[in-house]
Amino acid sequence: MTNREKFGSRATVIMAMAGSAIGLGNIWRFPFIVGEYGGAAFILVYILCCFLLSMPILLSESIIGRRTHQGTFGAMNTLAPGTAWKWLGLLTVISPLIILSYYSVVGGWSFAYLTKALSLQFKPENAESVIGMFATFSSTTWAPLACTAAFLVLTSVIVYLGVNKGIEKFSKISIPVLFVLIVVIAVYSITLPGAGEGVRYLVKPDFSKLTPGAYAAALGQSFFSLSLGVGTMLTYASYVRKDENILASASGTAFFDLLFAILAGFAVMPAVFAAGIAPSSGPGLVFETLPFIFSKMGAGGQVISAAVSILFFLTILVAALSSSISMMEVGVAYLVEEKKLSRHKATFLLFLVSLVIGVLCCLSFGSLSGIKLFGQTIFNFCDRLCSNFLMTIGALLFSVFVGWKMDKKAVRDELTNGGSLKGPGKVFPALYFLIKYVTPVTIIAIFLIGILA
Ligand code: PFF
């Protein structure tokens, strides 16, 4: 696979991987999960999960992808030909596509809310009606559908342009911009009157809130946030050059993802407390609570609050796009390498498939809300299926594959570039121990606790 595109440098590898990692998970999910499980104590558990469990999996995916320079299916077939591991390759082609479909619905909402912010709809006189606006908007038919489709078109255009001209270029610009934006919003939020309570909530741990369910939530969130278990990181790693230090790029990715999630916490929570709203108000936090806050605070400085609401929804949209492109790339790599389709045809085909599933997910907030799969709406079913099961199973199997199936020498070679990297060489025994024992055992334990709790 010598003619395969490659990321240009360490910085671009980290930007692309961090682009996949930083997304709706950081801005939309992380703050409300932190709210649900009691703030700072949960953040501490989350940080431990990231470094002890998620990092070894990110490394496992990086090892498999960079070793083979192939997408998930091809990689499994190359490293374990003729075995059942090919099913893991196939599963991880399908699961990112399902995620892409429902993720695009939320991506579409951020698109819609950006237009609402641009047309200055979050005004003090609208403050009370803003709360009901989300339920009304998401349950209508055409506007959310059009926004979902628009989001998928944007995703497809970037992927269509290729690894270097599309994904790499977009990530190189969007990631620094996202950090600037989230810092600006956090500063605004922290300086609102009454925000101090929200800051204390994020820094003062209350360990009594750490129920068994909190550990399962931390694990699930850290996998979702680092895009693990569904082959996206594996596929991106397949575009990494042989002389790159994958321990350094994985550490950089995990660090930036965590930093962004914490900054998003500071962008959202202090504003929520300033407006006197319960921090545990659930998934609506971003599309109901925050527009309400932007409207209400507008009384004190309308221009600033209008500008912040525009920046906020722009941040969500760009972050969502930098993730959705990674989901689509997994399927594109598969169709190009295994089915010999051109990149353009592969992108178009995946656009159509994710549009069809996306339409069903989108309508499950309105006209299809009566259709239930295992008691869940189509959207919730897809989300639960992927984030509670497929990602966890995929993550577990990737670490088992590297720890138990791959040759230990091949794993060491990949991490140390054939012995030439001294730092990774020194920490190899500890990392290998984490990948082989700690990660699989803890994932199984937390998974069972989450189910039984
Ligand atoms: N990491 C992304 C986020 O936090 O929004 C979500 C995600 C991206 C999940 C890519 C799965 C994936 F393959």
Side-chain angles (χ1 to χ4, degrees):
M1 292 271 156
T2 40
N3 57 353
R4 218 161 181 267
E5 285 185 275
K6 299 276 172 355
F7 290 128
S9 64
R10 160 126 13 120
T12 49
V13 174
I14 295 180
M15 300 268 190
M17 287 191 167
S20 171
I22 294 170
L24 295 168
N26 304 59
I27 314 173
W28 176 57
R29 278 172 78 129
F30 184 73
F32 81 72
I33 296 181
V34 170
E36 240 167 70
Y37 292 104
F42 178 84
I43 297 182
L44 287 178
V45 173
Y46 182 76
I47 293 175
L48 281 178
C49 264
C50 284
F51 286 99
L52 290 179
L53 304 174
S54 298
M55 254 305 275
I57 294 162
L58 179 54
L59 278 176
S60 304
E61 290 201 34
S62 302
I63 288 167
I64 300 171
R66 212 267 300 264
R67 180 107 192 134
T68 56
H69 287 308
Q70 279 175 295
T72 56
F73 187 77
M76 286 296 145
N77 264 343
T78 301
L79 294 175
T83 65
W85 285 103
K86 68 164 179 277
W87 295 109
L88 175 62
L90 209 57
L91 176 76
T92 49
V93 169
I94 296 165
S95 37
L97 207 59
I98 304 175
I99 302 181
L100 175 62
S101 307
Y102 74 80
Y103 201 85
S104 300
V105 175
V106 187
W109 294 342
S110 38
F111 193 60
Y113 270 68
L114 175 62
T115 59
K116 287 183 197 297
L118 282 167
S119 56
L120 305 178
Q121 289 190 32
F122 306 131
K123 291 195 273 240
E125 58 270 32
N126 290 349
E128 297 308 323
S129 65
V130 157
I131 292 282
M133 191 191 260
F134 177 67
T136 315
F137 168 76
S138 59
S139 61
T140 54
T141 300
W142 294 110
L145 274 187
C147 293
T148 304
F151 182 84
L152 273 171
V153 168
L154 288 176
T155 304
S156 309
V157 168
I158 301 169
V159 174
Y160 182 92
L161 290 172
V163 173
N164 295 123
K165 293 204 183 107
I167 295 172
E168 178 171 326
K169 217 174 213 171
F170 183 76
S171 311
K172 252 162 75 178
I173 300 169
S174 64
I175 294 302
V177 170
L178 283 174
F179 271 95
V180 173
L181 290 175
I182 203 75
V183 168
V184 169
I185 299 164
V187 168
Y188 165 84
S189 178
I190 290 170
T191 51
L192 288 172
E197 201 47 41
V199 175
R200 264 191 294 284
Y201 183 78
L202 289 172
V203 296
K204 213 168 138 245
D206 171 3
F207 291 98
S208 69
K209 299 264 173 58
L210 287 181
T211 56
Y215 292 95
L219 184 74
Q221 173 60 20
S222 80
F223 286 177
F224 188 83
S225 193
L226 270 175
S227 317
L228 297 176
V230 287
T232 38
M233 290 307 188
L234 189 160
T235 305
Y236 272 10
S238 74
Y239 301 122
V240 172
R241 290 174 196 280
K242 278 280 176 238
D243 58 358
E244 174 53 36
N245 176 343
I246 51 176
L247 177 60
S249 51
S251 311
T253 304
F255 171 76
F256 284 120
D257 182 50
L258 183 62
L259 180 64
F260 197 89
I262 291 174
L263 286 171
F266 279 97
V268 172
M269 276 308 164
V272 168
F273 275 83
I277 292 171
S280 56
S281 55
L285 208 55
V286 157
F287 292 103
E288 285 181 332
T289 311
L290 285 182
F292 170 71
I293 294 161
F294 292 137
S295 311
K296 211 172 139 195
M297 299 301 171
Q302 257 190 55
V303 177
I304 295 182
S305 118
V308 174
S309 63
I310 294 168
L311 294 184
F312 184 72
F313 289 108
L314 182 67
T315 308
I316 303 187
L317 179 64
V318 174
L321 271 174
S322 69
S323 297
S324 60
I325 54 179
S326 72
M327 301 171 201
M328 192 177 261
E329 181 60 29
V330 180
V332 168
Y334 170 74
L335 291 174
V336 170
E337 284 161 18
E338 307 298 325
K339 302 288 165 204
K340 308 295 171 221
L341 254 77
S342 71
R343 186 172 185 89
H344 299 167
K345 273 202 191 120
T347 310
F348 187 64
L349 188 65
L350 292 177
F351 165 76
L352 289 180
V353 174
S354 36
L355 184 64
V356 171
I357 311 175
V359 164
L360 297 177
C361 291
C362 185
L363 293 179
S364 73
F365 287 88
S367 51
L368 298 186
S369 61
I371 297 183
K372 297 279 182 334
L373 301 169
F374 297 95
Q376 308 276 343
T377 62
I378 302 172
F379 180 99
N380 284 342
F381 173 77
C382 290
D383 183 26
R384 302 266 154 90
L385 175 71
C386 293
S387 45
N388 293 0
F389 291 101
L390 297 184
M391 295 188 103
T392 314
I393 291 169
L396 175 67
L397 291 178
F398 280 133
S399 70
V400 168
F401 185 82
V402 172
W404 297 86
K405 173 78 188 159
M406 271 180 86
D407 179 30
K408 185 170 178 183
K409 183 177 172 313
V411 176
R412 185 189 288 116
D413 274 356
E414 211 44 50
L415 267 176
T416 60
N417 293 357
S420 63
L421 297 173
K422 296 290 165 257
K426 278 195 196 123
V427 291
F428 178 76
L431 289 176
Y432 196 69
F433 184 76
L434 283 177
I435 293 175
K436 190 166 176 132
Y437 300 106
V438 178
T439 308
V441 170
T442 321
I443 293 176
I444 293 173
I446 296 185
F447 188 67
L448 291 179
I449 291 172
I451 289 182
L452 302 177

